[in-house]
Amino acid sequence: MLKLLRVNLDKQNWAFEQLSPEYEKLGGRALSSQIINKEVPPTVDALDPQNKLIFAAGILAGTNFPNSGRLSIGAKSPLTGGIKEANAGGNAAQKLAKLGIQAVVLEGCANSLTTLKIDNDGVSFTEAAPIKGFGNYQIIEDLKKEHGDKVSIISIGSAGESRLKAASISVTSPDFHIRMAARGGLGAVMGSKNIKALVIDNQGSKGVEIKDKATFKTAVSKFTKGVLAYPMIEALKVFGTPVLVNMINGMGCMPTRNFSVGQFDGAQKISGEHIAELMAKRPNSVADHKCMSGCVIGCSNVFTDEKGEVIVSGLEYESIVLTGSNCMIDDIDMIAKINRACNDIGVDTMDVGAAIALAMEADILTMGDGNGALALVNEIREGSENGLMIGNGCKVTGEKLGSKRIPQVKGQGLAAYDPRGLKGTGTTYATSAMGADHTVGNAIPNPLSQYDPSSPEGQWEMSSFLQIYHAAIDSLGLCLFASLPALDFADLQGHMVQGVAAMTGETLDKDYIMQLGTTVLKAEKEFNTKAGFTKEDDRLPEFFKQEPLLPSGNVFDVTDENLDKVNAF
Ligand code: SF4
């Protein structure tokens, strides 16, 4: 049984704890959300030392179950004021699990900027003054030199230190590229605790115990085969998530010019197909990069310039759209540079991309001005008035600029799917405890389903199901893409359940996934209710209901009555 590692930052001490009955059998988002709901005062300021920052490994972490190393990071969010879980790839979760740690709970606040090292001997604390103000790329280089290349590094850039509401947390991939737990401003919570970085080193650890190795091996093998046979997986391997550009643009649902149009004239220049062509010609580019060991898909990439210098890894659909089409920028190299700057400073490309579009709409810079957008992002680092504005995300930016068209729910910017054409996704944006988020229940139609995303009917049912399902997937620590095939093929869900049962020795039935997901959502909703959220917070901004999305003419017309039915436990 894995343990909880509690770190008291005020006193610089730590202790391992057995998981109490209310936490045992949980991992990932289920565990982080349960801890926040039980232990964080719901109305406390998110940057108060009473907030806790949790790094939770998924239930399957540390094993060779495919794509099972996502790290869930949870806290009360400074961006939304509600409960938050943001997860990232990389190797940190697998290393924590191998060290026997299901979750690390950071409590209180260090007296000065500190780096934590977690290894087989426990926790050590180091003064981080020498790396104060550093960007994530430099921190990773320095800490890798100091601790070797077998570790995983979790860090914040200057935005987290400055406690900006769009600050993210970086987690390294096995080859030390950056993966981001981007959403909800959790980097600001880490900054408020005076923690600059965590170094996770599992050398000498025992690894994770599997109770029934033979059955586990069978589950791994059948699940892997099923995932690889799924039609969409091949496209993800070849083009990565940017394959969605042509698909979502073709549906007329790709946010363009601050969510005013659903199709972008420059889509081809930012598409997965074009990126793949460029990468094929550029030295050192990698089209099927794996963000964690044990990934069987490789949807990530390493995007280089013409000389072979790495610009960014991975260049993802969400970042491309929010800092690209949504700002009318069609230069993929410039988008990659903006992405790199956001990664270095440690801010969410989605919230900051939406903020840049609002600044463009307010004539602070010209729509489509890539150089201006990059300079504005770099102003976050410098701490200028406009830099601090966009570093606090799209809600703060829109309100400061007097915009009536702020694409946010519960303070968090919408992801890269327009809710007027993708109404199931819009229903999730509106009703999730997390604020507008694409990983918590994104209803994208696929060729195997009859689902109509543009009808107002059937969306609360679709969103309810997907929100429960993805809450469970986030708790297992599985990557979203490995979990998609199981939506169409129930036997793959069975292999997931079989994998957990074989690992833990429990007897689990076929309802395990939905029961686990329901537990998570109940805890999250309970916390938000205690924090003061009401049904009125489960709504999209008015402009999505009133402004037709061109070219389809769709508006978001799922009724409030149906929104209120979503997971009304
Ligand atoms: S499929 Fe993509 S996101 Fe998932 S584990 Fe592999 S590289 Fe990471």
Side-chain angles (χ1 to χ4, degrees):
M1 174 85 66
L2 304 190
K3 294 184 179 150
L4 211 59
L5 172 60
R6 282 193 195 270
V7 183
N8 183 319
L9 297 170
D10 301 285
K11 296 182 181 153
Q12 293 214 340
N13 62 27
W14 52 274
F16 283 111
E17 251 176 41
Q18 296 292 344
L19 290 169
S20 62
E22 58 201 350
Y23 298 156
E24 70 181 355
K25 300 181 185 168
L26 301 181
R29 177 173 160 192
L31 184 54
S32 70
S33 288
Q34 198 70 265
I35 295 172
I36 296 160
N37 188 35
K38 297 283 176 206
E39 300 185 17
V40 174
T43 54
V44 79
D45 187 286
L47 303 181
D48 188 281
Q50 289 179 81
N51 196 4
K52 299 192 181 190
L53 184 63
I54 296 136
F55 299 87
I59 292 168
L60 287 163
T63 72
N64 67 342
F65 202 89
N67 300 40
S68 61
R70 301 284 297 184
L71 178 71
S72 285
I73 307 181
K76 177 170 177 173
S77 161
L79 191 73
T80 68
I83 197 163
K84 191 70 203 168
E85 184 261 6
N87 60 61
N91 264 11
Q94 287 156 326
K95 289 181 183 296
L96 286 175
K98 286 176 184 172
L99 283 163
I101 299 168
Q102 193 74 65
V104 180
V105 184
L106 300 188
E107 302 183 338
C109 172
N111 291 329
S112 57
L113 199 63
T114 300
T115 295
L116 301 180
K117 184 169 187 191
I118 301 173
D119 60 19
N120 225 8
D121 296 325
V123 183
S124 48
F125 302 79
T126 310
E127 185 70 44
I131 55 172
K132 184 172 167 53
F134 279 21
N136 282 311
Y137 290 104
Q138 189 64 53
I139 296 165
I140 291 167
E141 244 351 273
D142 288 4
L143 292 178
K144 189 170 69 153
K145 262 190 207 134
E146 187 179 340
H147 298 281
D149 62 2
K150 301 282 186 290
V151 301
S152 181
I153 296 162
I154 300 170
S155 59
I156 55 169
S158 56
E161 283 186 58
S162 303
R163 303 169 193 193
L164 301 184
K165 288 177 194 289
S168 55
I169 299 179
S170 156
V171 182
T172 52
S173 64
D175 49 358
F176 292 91
H177 291 296
I178 286 176
R179 309 300 299 185
M180 278 295 182
R183 310 238 71 195
L186 297 185
V189 179
M190 191 156 147
S192 76
K193 299 202 166 296
N194 257 332
I195 297 301
K196 182 69 172 168
L198 292 89
V199 178
I200 319 288
D201 184 351
N202 73 307
Q203 291 177 82
S205 64
K206 292 197 307 242
V208 171
E209 186 194 3
I210 310 277
K211 298 270 192 217
D212 178 351
K213 291 196 178 74
T215 306
F216 189 79
K217 195 173 166 194
T218 305
V220 167
S221 162
K222 288 187 173 168
F223 184 78
T224 306
K225 253 188 221 152
V227 167
L228 293 180
Y230 192 67
M232 190 188 154
I233 296 298
E234 195 50 38
L236 275 173
K237 276 169 174 281
V238 176
F239 302 114
T241 59
V243 74
L244 290 166
V245 169
N246 278 337
M247 181 181 153
I248 305 295
N249 191 59
M251 292 171 68
C253 298
M254 190 163 82
T256 302
R257 212 174 62 229
N258 188 25
F259 285 83
S260 57
V261 191
Q263 281 182 333
F264 180 44
D265 286 344
Q268 193 278 330
K269 291 164 79 178
I270 61 171
S271 67
E273 290 79 350
H274 179 63
I275 292 169
E277 268 173 41
L278 286 179
M279 288 201 297
K281 288 185 221 148
R282 294 184 176 185
N284 305 324
S285 276
V286 181
D288 57 351
H289 180 254
K290 293 174 174 156
C291 80
M292 65 175 76
S293 28
C295 167
V296 296
I297 301 171
C299 82
S300 183
N301 55 32
V302 180
F303 186 76
T304 63
D305 64 17
E306 283 164 359
K307 293 185 187 138
E309 289 294 320
V310 175
I311 305 179
V312 76
S313 170
L315 184 55
E316 303 277 359
Y317 170 75
E318 306 292 337
S319 304
I320 291 171
V321 171
L322 268 310
T323 62
S325 59
N326 198 44
C327 300
M328 300 294 282
I329 298 170
D330 65 3
D331 176 347
I332 195 66
D333 285 296
M334 181 55 71
I335 292 168
K337 285 177 195 163
I338 294 169
N339 194 338
R340 181 182 179 89
C342 287
N343 283 2
D344 196 39
I345 295 163
V347 283
D348 176 14
T349 52
M350 289 184 250
D351 238 292
V352 166
I356 295 169
L358 284 159
M360 288 173 164
E361 213 168 54
D363 291 333
I364 286 179
L365 66 167
T366 311
M367 250 321 151
D369 177 2
N371 282 310
L374 179 59
L376 186 53
V377 170
N378 278 319
E379 283 190 40
I380 303 174
R381 202 187 318 256
E382 292 152 17
S384 74
E385 191 179 338
N386 284 340
L388 294 178
M389 176 180 75
I390 67 159
N392 275 309
C394 75
K395 180 165 186 272
V396 166
T397 301
E399 285 174 352
K400 187 158 182 208
L401 298 176
S403 174
K404 299 270 183 290
R405 304 181 68 261
I406 311 174
Q408 60 81 32
V409 178
K410 301 185 180 80
Q412 179 166 270
L414 265 61
Y417 310 85
D418 196 297
R420 287 164 286 193
L422 291 163
K423 294 177 185 172
T425 301
T427 301
T428 298
Y429 286 157
T431 59
S432 167
M434 298 286 150
D437 214 317
H438 65 292
T439 61
V440 293
N442 197 359
I444 304 288
N446 76 42
L448 302 176
S449 76
Q450 301 295 312
Y451 168 62
D452 176 4
S454 63
S455 164
E457 302 307 323
Q459 305 303 347
W460 75 265
E461 296 93 330
M462 175 61 88
S463 175
S464 294
F465 165 74
L466 287 174
Q467 288 194 50
I468 295 172
Y469 179 76
H470 286 295
I473 294 305
D474 291 342
S475 305
L476 295 179
L478 277 183
C479 145
L480 179 88
F481 302 113
S483 77
L484 292 180
L487 285 170
D488 289 310
F489 299 108
D491 58 325
L492 293 185
Q493 268 191 53
H495 302 321
M496 286 184 214
V497 178
Q498 191 185 29
V500 177
M503 179 190 175
T504 59
E506 293 169 73
T507 304
L508 301 172
D509 64 26
K510 61 178 178 39
D511 296 330
Y512 168 72
I513 298 285
M514 297 311 274
Q515 284 166 355
L516 177 63
T518 302
T519 306
V520 180
L521 296 188
K522 280 184 176 168
E524 292 172 347
K525 195 168 180 182
E526 190 177 299
F527 182 89
N528 274 9
T529 302
K530 289 184 289 185
F533 285 79
T534 68
K535 286 178 181 175
E536 299 314 307
D537 296 298
D538 288 346
R539 304 287 183 258
L540 290 184
E542 278 303 306
F543 82 91
F544 289 114
K545 301 177 202 168
Q546 287 163 6
E547 270 184 33
L549 175 67
L550 298 175
S552 65
N554 279 324
V555 291
F556 186 77
D557 51 2
V558 177
T559 62
D560 289 352
E561 191 188 2
N562 280 342
L563 292 178
D564 292 342
K565 289 182 192 162
V566 175
N567 291 326
F569 304 119

